[in-house]
Amino acid sequence: MEKEKEKKKKRAAKVFCYYCERQFENEKILVQHQEAKHFKCHVCNQKLSTASGMAIHVLQVHEEAVSKVPNAIPGRESTEIEIFGMQGIPDDILAAHYGEGEQAISRTLRSFPPADYLFKVESVSVLLNTRIEKYESGSFEVGGYKWRLCLYPNGKNKSEGKGHVSLYLEISDTENLPLGWELCGQDRRYTNDMHSSTYLDADSKARHFNVINTRCGIAQFLSLYELKDPCNGYLMDDCCIFGAEVFVIKYSGKGECLSVIKDPADEKLILYPRGNQKAKNKSLSLFLELASFETLHQRKLYAEFELSIKDQKSSVYIKPSHGDVWFSDSIKNWGFLNFISQSDLHDKPDHFLLNGTLIVQAKITLMIYSRNI
């Protein structure tokens, strides 16, 4: 929680332009900068609010095509990404800018292959020299959903993947999903070190997938330098292997709720006049029992209570004994074997026993019940 607060505080203090990396005091000044430097029509100097808006304006009004954002650094010239101020900046670029990349994605080695999908690429040197920007794998099913890997051999330039292999996971077959579908999942992507038979495990944080966000990935999954370095073992005989594991975080419909019962009821007292078990013929035993414990259905009920006996001569309840217990299928009653000794009970005539009558009392001070939700 503290780390998340620090992250938000850090980001709020550093507002920057996606297109040129300049920093500003606040987002209002940033928006003015974008309109003047990146979203201004080069023909009539009209300022637009987004890159796509500028491109549409130039095409419709001046009949010219604009494919690059003016004054943008290499890799961020695309007019297809909708940026307004700080809104719309891809997560991996935000993480890289604020130095959070290593926190968002952890990288470890493991000895066994990914469980869900393997993707082998042969003739990698040929692939890297083609005009193939992206390759989408076949679909594989995990958690009731269909997925596919998206590989950018030379990096996804729009997300600062230049000089790297970019690897993304995408939910496919979305047209057959119900209206308003949404799920939470965590994905892990791998590449194989064939020298040591280990896999580089890139474990990203859990993310929401919905009709707008159908993919997530790592723009800088593996640098081309690391890929080609023979010491790393990622490339052998001009072949490399990628893979994926997907964990769909799906609510199972099971859970429980712990709540306080304001008006405790359905309890009864069990009294053993001559004592029970080890207290036989020594004390009076008194226990509290739930009258309807069969309704617990493998759940639990916590009670704090007080048991006392009435001094009928003074009309005052005395000798209170306090107890607490979790009632369950295996614990149906709780109380005191030696509630009051036989000697105390009979040595004071007309106090506890009056005309053969004994009065005891139970007070439930707290009752908490766990129930299914």
Side-chain angles (χ1 to χ4, degrees), residues 251-270:
Y251 175 53
S252 66
K254 297 178 181 179
E256 66 180 84
C257 175
L258 201 63
S259 56
V260 175
I261 299 176
K262 295 182 179 180
D263 299 309
D266 293 334
E267 71 278 348
K268 64 182 179 181
L269 287 172
I270 301 176

Side-chain angles (χ1 to χ4, degrees), residues 158-355:
K158 296 175 184 177
S159 299
E160 292 195 335
K162 189 174 182 179
H164 293 76
V165 174
S166 301
L167 193 60
Y168 288 77
L169 178 76
E170 184 175 66
I171 187 164
S172 60
D173 200 26
T174 55
E175 62 273 10
N176 293 322
L177 294 177
L179 184 67
W181 67 271
E182 184 175 9
L183 67 97
C184 185
Q186 183 175 14
D187 64 296
R188 308 169 81 108
R189 277 142 290 185
Y190 301 84
T191 187
N192 183 207
D193 177 352
M194 288 176 273
H195 280 330
S196 59
S197 296
T198 58
Y199 289 81
L200 176 66
D201 174 2
D203 180 9
S204 67
K205 62 186 179 181
R207 295 181 182 274
H208 282 282
F209 292 85
N210 53 41
V211 68
I212 298 175
N213 300 310
T214 59
R215 64 158 56 183
C216 70
I218 307 172
Q220 298 180 3
F221 175 72
L222 185 69
S223 73
L224 293 176
Y225 176 81
E226 289 178 289
L227 175 68
K228 296 174 183 179
D229 188 344
C231 296
N232 292 326
Y234 299 133
L235 196 61
M236 185 173 287
D237 296 329
D238 207 20
C239 168
C240 64
I241 299 174
F242 301 97
E245 280 182 357
V246 185
F247 304 88
V248 177
I249 303 170
K250 188 185 299 184
Y251 175 53
S252 66
K254 297 178 181 179
E256 66 180 84
C257 175
L258 201 63
S259 56
V260 175
I261 299 176
K262 295 182 179 180
D263 299 309
D266 293 334
E267 71 278 348
K268 64 182 179 181
L269 287 172
I270 301 176
L271 186 144
Y272 297 86
R274 295 186 180 278
N276 188 34
Q277 299 177 1
K278 294 181 180 180
K280 196 79 171 178
N281 298 320
K282 296 179 182 178
S283 301
L284 179 146
S285 302
L286 187 62
F287 296 85
L288 179 72
E289 182 176 281
L290 289 182
S292 55
F293 61 82
E294 66 277 359
T295 62
L296 286 180
H297 297 303
Q298 297 183 338
R299 310 312 297 167
K300 296 188 294 184
L301 186 147
Y302 174 78
E304 292 181 1
F305 59 93
E306 176 186 292
L307 302 181
S308 57
I309 187 170
K310 186 175 184 179
D311 183 336
Q312 298 187 65
K313 194 167 186 178
S314 62
S315 296
V316 175
Y317 284 91
I318 62 172
K319 294 186 178 294
S321 296
H322 301 274
D324 58 84
V325 61
W326 278 102
F327 289 107
S328 64
D329 289 340
S330 58
I331 302 175
K332 299 177 175 59
N333 58 64
W334 194 264
F336 306 94
L337 286 172
N338 298 294
F339 179 68
I340 184 172
S341 68
Q342 293 289 339
S343 58
D344 285 347
L345 190 63
H346 296 288
D347 288 351
K348 295 180 179 180
D350 302 332
H351 281 262
F352 302 124
L353 280 170
L354 182 62
N355 299 324

Side-chain angles (χ1 to χ4, degrees), residues 47-228:
K47 296 177 181 178
L48 288 304
S49 55
T50 64
S52 60
M54 179 267 295
I56 292 171
H57 163 81
V58 174
L59 181 64
Q60 293 181 344
V61 177
H62 306 294
E63 298 183 348
E64 290 186 24
V66 175
S67 59
K68 293 184 178 181
V69 174
N71 306 310
I73 61 178
R76 300 194 189 175
E77 306 103 325
S78 174
T79 59
E80 295 178 7
I81 297 180
E82 195 76 4
I83 303 290
F84 179 78
M86 291 288 291
Q87 299 176 38
I89 300 177
D91 286 345
D92 52 354
I93 291 179
L94 284 172
H97 182 87
Y98 293 116
E100 299 164 358
E102 293 302 315
Q103 297 173 16
I105 302 168
S106 63
R107 298 174 188 267
T108 57
L109 291 175
R110 78 181 205 187
S111 59
F112 49 95
D116 295 322
Y117 200 75
L118 278 177
F119 176 40
K120 185 176 181 179
V121 181
E122 297 180 339
S123 302
V124 173
S125 59
V126 175
L127 180 65
L128 293 176
N129 287 298
T130 65
R131 288 196 293 269
I132 297 174
E133 180 186 3
K134 178 181 71 170
Y135 177 81
E136 295 180 350
S137 75
S139 294
F140 58 97
E141 188 169 331
V142 179
Y145 296 90
K146 291 184 178 180
W147 308 83
R148 62 173 169 243
L149 279 174
C150 297
L151 175 72
Y152 294 79
N154 288 292
K156 186 181 180 185
N157 292 333
K158 296 175 184 177
S159 299
E160 292 195 335
K162 189 174 182 179
H164 293 76
V165 174
S166 301
L167 193 60
Y168 288 77
L169 178 76
E170 184 175 66
I171 187 164
S172 60
D173 200 26
T174 55
E175 62 273 10
N176 293 322
L177 294 177
L179 184 67
W181 67 271
E182 184 175 9
L183 67 97
C184 185
Q186 183 175 14
D187 64 296
R188 308 169 81 108
R189 277 142 290 185
Y190 301 84
T191 187
N192 183 207
D193 177 352
M194 288 176 273
H195 280 330
S196 59
S197 296
T198 58
Y199 289 81
L200 176 66
D201 174 2
D203 180 9
S204 67
K205 62 186 179 181
R207 295 181 182 274
H208 282 282
F209 292 85
N210 53 41
V211 68
I212 298 175
N213 300 310
T214 59
R215 64 158 56 183
C216 70
I218 307 172
Q220 298 180 3
F221 175 72
L222 185 69
S223 73
L224 293 176
Y225 176 81
E226 289 178 289
L227 175 68
K228 296 174 183 179

